[in-house]
Amino acid sequence: MHNNLIYLTDGRGKVDATELSDIDWALLVTNNRNSTHRRLVKCAWCWDEDRVTHWMKTYSRNNGVRVVSHQPGESTDHPYQALESDEHKAYCDRVERVGVAEGFQARREARADDGRTRSDVLLVGARHVSYEMQHSPFKQGYGAAERTRRSLAAKRDAVAWHTDSSSIADHARIAMLRSNPARLPQIENPRYQLRILGGFRRVLVWDCTVREGFRCPKGLRAGCGATHVESQPGGITLDDFIRQAPAGLLLPVRPLDRLGFWTTAHDHQIWMTHFGVASGRGSKVTTPRSQSQRPSEGHSRRTAAEDHAPVLPSQRTNGPPAPKTAKSCEAGAVRCGEPARFYACGWRCETHRP
C-alpha cells in the first residue's frame, strides 16, 4: 500500500493503515466518504515533512486491496514506510548523537533532492553516509535493494543498513550490519556497547604455497600456487562504525549483494585490487568462494564473530593432528633439536624448513 502512514483526527493520532483491523478499516471508509468535508484522514508524510495538510480518500478495490489516496491535484503517492517504534527512534537518536559529537553534520529523515528517497539519518563528513535502521521485515515493492539504488543515485556515497534481528539479516538482499539484540534502555545508554556481529569483515590474502602453511581451498597438499583472497568476520562496535564510516575509514564491498559487507579502507583496497581491477602482480587470483562453501560463521550469521576477533585460515596438516606441546626439528642424521613447526615433510626449524 502507498500512503500507508496517516493521521486520524478522531484521537487515534498517527497510524499505519495496513495495520487496521477489517472492522476498523470498514468503519474508516464509511466515515470518510466525503473526505474533504469530513477531515478525518490526513497524510502523515506531507504533514511530517512539509507541515502541509492533505485530506486523504479511503476506499477498497474489488480485490480487497486498501487504498489511501491524495485528492486530485495534490502530491503524488508516497512509498510504504513502517511506523517507527521506540527502539527505532532510539537507534536514530544514537546515530545522530555519536555523529554530531564526532563533528559530522546530521540530518534526520533527510529527503534527497530528487524527492524519491530519504534517510533515517544522513551523516555528512568526508562521505555522505545514509544510516537505515531496519527492525521490521522488508515490504515487497520498495525493499532494501531498491531503496539503496535510489540513495546511491541521489548522490549518497553509501547506505549503512543495520538491524539487531538475525532473521531480518539472514533474509536481506543487501549488505547489512547486525548487532547484538538490545532493549530500549540499553540503546539509550551511551556507555552500553552495541557490538556488530555480522556484516563487518576483514580481508585476508595469502599465496597458496607449502611455505605459507595455510590449508589450500582446493585441497592440494602442496598448495595450488594461486593468491587467495577471502573475508573473515571482524569485530567493531556500532558507535565506532558511526564514527569511522563518514570519515571514509570504512567502505562497503558489494553493497547490493546479500553477501556484501563493510570493511576498512585498507582491506577494501586489497579486495578491489584482486576483484575490482587487475591485480598487476602477475599471479593467478582466485575468486571468492560462495556462501555455501564458506564456514558457518559467514556474513550476518548468529555465529559470526562471537568473540569479536578476526578468524585466520586453518593451518595445513598431514596425518594426525599435532599435539599442543612444542616439537623440535627432526632434520639430519642426528636430530637438529631446534624449536620447529610442522610441515608436510615433518617437524622443521627455520633453518631446515622446506
Side-chain angles (χ1 to χ4, degrees), residues 195-250:
R195 294 191 176 275
I196 299 299
L197 304 181
F200 178 79
R201 301 174 73 83
R202 296 287 187 177
V203 175
L204 187 67
V205 55
W206 77 94
D207 294 325
C208 190
T209 66
V210 68
R211 290 180 178 272
E212 296 298 321
F214 294 141
R215 185 183 298 277
C216 176
K218 296 182 179 180
L220 301 179
R221 294 184 178 181
C224 63
T227 298
H228 295 296
V229 180
E230 290 188 350
S231 64
Q232 299 286 354
I236 193 173
T237 65
L238 178 61
D239 290 355
D240 283 343
F241 182 91
I242 295 168
R243 296 184 184 102
Q244 296 179 39
L249 302 178
L250 301 178

